[in-house]
Amino acid sequence: MGVTMRGRCEKSGENKEQEKEAAAAATAAAGRLAGVSEAEGSDTDTDSDLETEGTHGLGELVKDNLYLRSCRTHNVVPASCFLRQGKAPELNLRHRGLGPQGARALASALTSNPYVKWLDLRDNELCGAGMEALAHALSKSSSICDVDLSENQLGAVGAQVICAALMANPAMKKVQLAGNNLEEQAAQYLAELLRAHTGLKSLDLSYNQLNDQAGEKLGPALAENTGLTEFNISWNHLRGPGAVSFARGLGANIFLRVLDISYNGFGDPGAAAVGEALRTNNVLEELNMSNNRISMVGARSLGLGLRVNQTLRILVVSRNPMQSEGCLGVLKSVQDNPVSTLELLDFSDIQVNREFDDLAASVKVILPGLCIKTGVRRVEYKKELLAVLRPSLPVSAPK
């Protein structure tokens, strides 16, 4: 890990005002633990944001005390929202700048907290070290089922740690790991997670650097997965053989219902592989393939799957260079499918012509519930309009 990354991940960032807040937090919680009644009986507002509504139970006071002692040990400012959390099921700590030290302080308190179900730690510069500190708490918690660890610079080290922790916790249902610099090396740990965790229902790997080699690892794992119903792997670098391998995994999967592979580089080979997957997959309901370099050739190959697929309800292929001919090929395939369940066909930002419009009208008769979206208006230059559109030419002077 580079020096710049270390600097961002290891910074303390505490100023004097934060230290005063930490002292106030410790004093307030200590007062509660000691049975101080003055704060409870007061009708006046205080400047501290650590006030709580109602009276803390003994378990909550013990939890707060553990957290404050841990904060003092690691020399970090306590997160006031954690002290206010009480028995609330959601703990939102996003954008707090916790860093690895803050994660170490939080970990011990999470281990003894039976209330938190949804944990949001997005954008806290946890890095691999912070993830290592939280791993034990996440692996042992019987209450946390939804965790957001996006934008934390986890890298391969963090991916290895979090995947191992998740595999040890069957209660985990939803995990978000977007924007974490996950590359090819991290893919092997993610693949192991897909194979081993049958309880995980939703996984977000968007905005990473997972490339074609990563796709070759994730594809077979997706084929073997027996639980995931929603998968977001948009804004990555899946292309070439990796995209094809991933698509083949989709064909063998029998659980996934929502898949977002937009903003990758599937191209025509990947589109053809997805088309083949749609011929055999009888579970997928929503598929986003926007911005994937799919030309009219790839669109026609994709259409081969749409001709027989019976479960897909939403297909987004916007911002692909398939032109009107490619859109026409996709739409003809839908028209030829007597058992199509499509409800939305999105061709946004692809210019279509009159022939497409006519076919769309015919398909709407067969499938009245189908919404066909085209974001760019068709433009035709008729002869009678040329005089209006063409700038007037100056009359030449007689010689």
Side-chain angles (χ1 to χ4, degrees):
M1 186 175 293
V3 174
T4 303
M5 186 70 74
R6 284 183 60 87
R8 293 185 63 191
C9 292
E10 296 296 334
K11 68 177 183 179
S12 61
E14 276 68 47
N15 53 30
K16 292 183 178 179
E17 291 182 0
Q18 290 175 315
E19 291 174 359
K20 291 179 181 179
E21 182 184 352
T27 302
R32 292 197 302 268
L33 284 166
V36 176
S37 59
E38 289 83 354
E40 296 177 7
S42 174
D43 293 329
T44 60
D45 294 332
T46 66
D47 294 333
S48 173
D49 65 348
L50 299 174
E51 280 192 38
T52 58
E53 297 179 3
T55 305
H56 272 51
L58 179 60
E60 297 166 61
L61 295 176
V62 171
K63 175 201 71 173
D64 290 352
N65 191 39
L66 286 173
Y67 178 55
L68 290 170
R69 282 189 296 180
S70 185
C71 287
R72 286 195 295 270
T73 299
H74 297 286
N75 194 28
V76 296
V77 176
S80 57
C81 58
F82 182 82
L83 297 171
R84 289 198 306 265
Q85 190 236 352
K87 294 182 180 180
E90 181 176 359
L91 179 57
N92 187 341
L93 292 172
R94 62 168 55 192
H95 312 309
R96 295 277 172 166
L98 296 179
Q101 286 293 88
R104 294 183 182 103
L106 181 65
S108 59
L110 283 178
T111 303
S112 59
N113 189 321
Y115 308 116
V116 176
K117 293 183 178 180
W118 303 288
L119 177 62
D120 189 344
L121 292 173
R122 178 184 287 263
D123 185 25
N124 272 288
E125 298 181 355
L126 299 179
C127 303
M131 197 62 256
E132 288 177 346
L134 288 168
H136 178 74
L138 292 176
S139 65
K140 297 298 182 182
S141 174
S142 59
S143 61
I144 300 176
C145 60
D146 182 336
V147 61
D148 188 349
L149 296 167
S150 302
E151 301 172 26
N152 274 299
Q153 309 168 26
L154 298 185
V157 174
Q160 181 180 15
V161 173
I162 183 59
C163 287
L166 294 174
M167 285 189 287
N169 187 347
M172 200 65 66
K173 303 297 182 186
K174 181 177 180 179
V175 178
Q176 293 173 258
L177 297 172
N180 269 306
N181 301 321
L182 304 182
E183 300 178 342
E184 177 187 350
Q185 187 179 353
Q188 64 186 31
Y189 309 121
L190 296 168
E192 292 171 6
L193 176 65
L194 287 174
R195 288 189 174 96
H197 203 308
T198 59
L200 189 62
K201 301 301 179 185
S202 177
L203 179 62
D204 184 354
L205 299 177
S206 60
Y207 292 93
N208 282 294
Q209 288 84 48
L210 297 170
N211 57 14
D212 51 344
Q213 288 81 13
E216 291 178 339
K217 295 175 182 177
L218 293 173
L222 181 61
E224 298 177 29
N225 179 266
T226 57
L228 202 65
T229 59
E230 185 174 346
F231 194 6
N232 185 352
I233 195 167
S234 62
W235 290 91
N236 276 278
H237 307 302
L238 298 180
R239 58 195 61 165
V244 172
S245 178
F246 188 89
R248 287 174 180 166
L250 171 64
N253 185 280
I254 58 173
F255 288 89
L256 199 63
R257 283 178 165 75
V258 180
L259 176 62
D260 189 345
I261 53 175
S262 60
Y263 290 87
N264 278 281
F266 270 59
D268 293 341
V274 171
E276 187 62 32
L278 291 178
R279 294 174 63 88
T280 57
N281 185 293
N282 59 358
V283 179
L284 192 68
E285 297 178 3
E286 300 179 23
L287 176 61
N288 189 341
M289 295 186 68
S290 64
N291 214 317
N292 261 291
R293 307 178 186 176
I294 302 171
S295 73
M296 65 181 73
V297 175
R300 294 190 185 113
S301 300
L302 180 64
L304 296 177
L306 296 174
R307 193 169 294 172
V308 297
N309 184 272
Q310 301 180 32
T311 60
L312 197 64
R313 295 186 302 104
I314 297 174
L315 175 62
V316 182
V317 289
S318 57
R319 292 180 289 280
N320 278 295
M322 59 179 63
Q323 304 178 10
S324 186
E325 289 80 0
C327 297
L328 197 66
V330 170
L331 196 54
K332 283 181 179 178
S333 296
V334 175
Q335 183 186 42
D336 294 341
N337 185 352
V339 292
S340 175
T341 57
L342 270 177
E343 299 173 7
L344 172 63
L345 194 51
D346 191 343
F347 297 108
S348 295
D349 297 325
I350 305 175
Q351 188 166 315
V352 296
N353 56 23
R354 174 68 69 181
E355 185 180 2
F356 177 90
D357 288 345
D358 293 342
L359 180 61
S362 300
V363 173
K364 290 280 288 182
V365 174
I366 304 171
L367 298 171
L370 175 61
C371 175
I372 302 172
K373 186 176 180 181
T374 55
V376 177
R377 298 298 299 169
R378 173 181 48 79
V379 179
E380 290 185 356
Y381 294 93
K382 297 183 178 179
K383 290 183 179 180
E384 57 267 28
L385 294 177
L386 290 178
V388 178
L389 297 174
R390 184 182 299 132
S392 300
L393 298 176
V395 179
S396 56
K399 296 181 179 180

